[in-house]
Each structure stands twice: as C-alpha cells, then as structure tokens.
C-alpha cells in the first residue's frame, strides 16, 4: 500500500496497488490526451443534473491525484465553470467530456474516455436523487444522495454500505510534474 502524510479524502474502497498503474485517456478526435501515472480511485456513476445535461446521461468517473496527471493538447481543451465549486473540461472541437475539476488534490477523470481496458469497476452511485426517470439502478452498488449521504431505508440494496464503513485510502506523496497544478 502506498502511503503519504495526507490521507485521501474520497469515498472509494479500492486499495492502492503495490505498483501504480498507468492510464491513458483521449478525446474523440485525439487532440486532447491525458496520462495518469498513479491509481484512479473512487470510481462512481454520477447521476446529478449537471452531469446529465453535459453528457446526455449519467457520467462515470474516478479520481486521480493532480500530481499524477499530464496533459497534451491543451490548445483544444476548454473549461466550463459549472458551479462555484467546480469546472468541467472538454474538447472544444468535438465536445468529449473529459474532466471534473474541483478544489483539492484530485481531479475527476471521465472513465468513458479512458483507453481500454482500464481494469476499473464502479464502486458506487452518487446524486441518485437527481437520476432520470427512464432507468433504474439495479447493479446492487451503494447509492448516495449527493456525494456522501447513503440512500436510507428500503431503497438500500444488497451490498450497500455507509460512508463510515468505506475504507479510507492514502495517496503517494511522490508525483510527476503536472500541468494541472
């Protein structure tokens, strides 16, 4: 397990691998490319209204440490300030939804644009109170109102856990120079 002085504050339950993986991502036209030299954690499906409006449906994402991320093609990378707390990165030529960028040490990477096979599995669903009415969430993964409030009562399915039961992860303090800092 990789450990550093500052613990990861996300909600994922996947432990750090002994050797950090490398992930690559690109937009539809290939002009924007991303390389993540470290783990992607807290893989989730976000059903919030903003993600649905940006993508046309829910969005799957995972978090990377900023220091582990390197970008090329920034000339066509556009950012939209979607709320006071976050901005969303996309290819200005073809519109590929690539990043969710809030405050803190991590940046959200959209899993749908990762080169295959990334080897990731969804861990949870967030903002389920905003999901569209034309589908049901039936995969048994934990569901949360907002990012961290478990859905209560009969709506909690098999395999769902409270945030206090989720494993706290730590991040590596060694990183690669990032253009996102």
């Amino acid at each position: 397990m990789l450990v550093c002085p500052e613990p990861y504050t996300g909600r994922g339950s996947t432990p750090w691998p002994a050797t950090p993986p490398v992930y690559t991502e690109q937009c539809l036209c290939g002009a924007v490319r991303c390389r993540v030299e470290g783990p992607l954690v807290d893989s989730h499906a976000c059903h919030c209204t903003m993600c649905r409006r940006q993508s046309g449906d829910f969005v799957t994402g995972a978090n990377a440490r900023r220091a582990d991320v390197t970008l090329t093609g920034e000339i066509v990378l556009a950012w939209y300030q979607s709320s006071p707390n976050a901005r969303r990165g996309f290819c200005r030529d073809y519109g590929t939804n690539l990043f969710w960028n809030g405050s803190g040490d991590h940046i959200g990477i959209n899993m749908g644009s990762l080169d295959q096979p990334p080897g990731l599995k969804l861990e949870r669903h967030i903002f389920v109170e905003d999901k569209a009415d034309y589908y049901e969430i039936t995969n048994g993964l934990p569901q949360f109102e907002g990012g961290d409030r478990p859905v209560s009562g009969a709506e909690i399915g098999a395999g769902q856990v409270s945030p206090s039961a989720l494993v706290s992860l730590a991040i590596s303090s060694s990183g690669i120079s990032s253009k996102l800092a």
Side-chain angles (χ1 to χ4, degrees):
M1 179 173 278
L2 301 173
V3 180
C4 82
E6 296 180 24
Y8 171 67
T9 59
R11 304 280 187 239
S13 59
T14 304
W16 294 115
T19 303
V22 175
Y23 298 95
T24 56
E25 170 188 46
Q26 65 182 324
C27 64
L28 180 62
C29 68
V32 179
R33 295 178 185 268
C34 172
R35 181 175 175 90
V36 179
E37 296 189 39
L40 289 174
V41 297
D42 188 24
S43 57
H44 59 273
C46 183
H47 302 269
C48 79
T49 302
M50 283 191 266
C51 281
R52 288 190 302 108
R53 289 193 174 149
Q54 180 186 20
S55 71
D57 210 346
F58 62 90
V59 169
T60 57
N63 296 321
R65 219 173 64 111
R66 288 181 195 281
D68 294 341
V69 177
T70 304
L71 291 175
T72 58
E74 294 98 332
I75 193 144
V76 296
L77 179 61
W79 293 95
Y80 174 70
Q81 189 75 41
S82 57
S83 73
N85 301 323
R87 60 188 187 145
R88 296 161 186 268
F90 60 95
C91 170
R92 80 173 70 237
D93 287 347
Y94 287 94
T96 304
N97 180 13
L98 297 165
F99 308 107
W100 186 93
N101 189 12
S103 61
D105 293 339
H106 290 79
I107 184 167
I109 306 289
N110 286 5
M111 289 171 47
S113 55
L114 288 170
D115 294 326
Q116 297 294 320
L120 300 171
K121 302 282 185 213
L122 282 180
E123 297 176 15
R124 65 190 183 123
H125 294 269
I126 60 175
F127 292 93
V128 297
E129 72 278 14
D130 290 345
K131 83 167 200 57
D133 63 358
Y134 55 83
Y135 66 91
E136 297 299 322
I137 301 170
T138 60
N139 62 3
L141 292 176
Q143 296 181 28
F144 295 86
E145 293 178 1
D148 60 2
R149 293 180 314 278
V151 174
S152 62
E155 296 172 297
I156 295 181
Q160 293 186 342
V161 294
S162 70
S164 62
L166 295 172
V167 177
S168 177
L169 300 175
I171 58 174
S172 169
S173 62
S174 63
I176 296 169
S177 176
S178 171
K179 297 176 185 175
L180 294 175

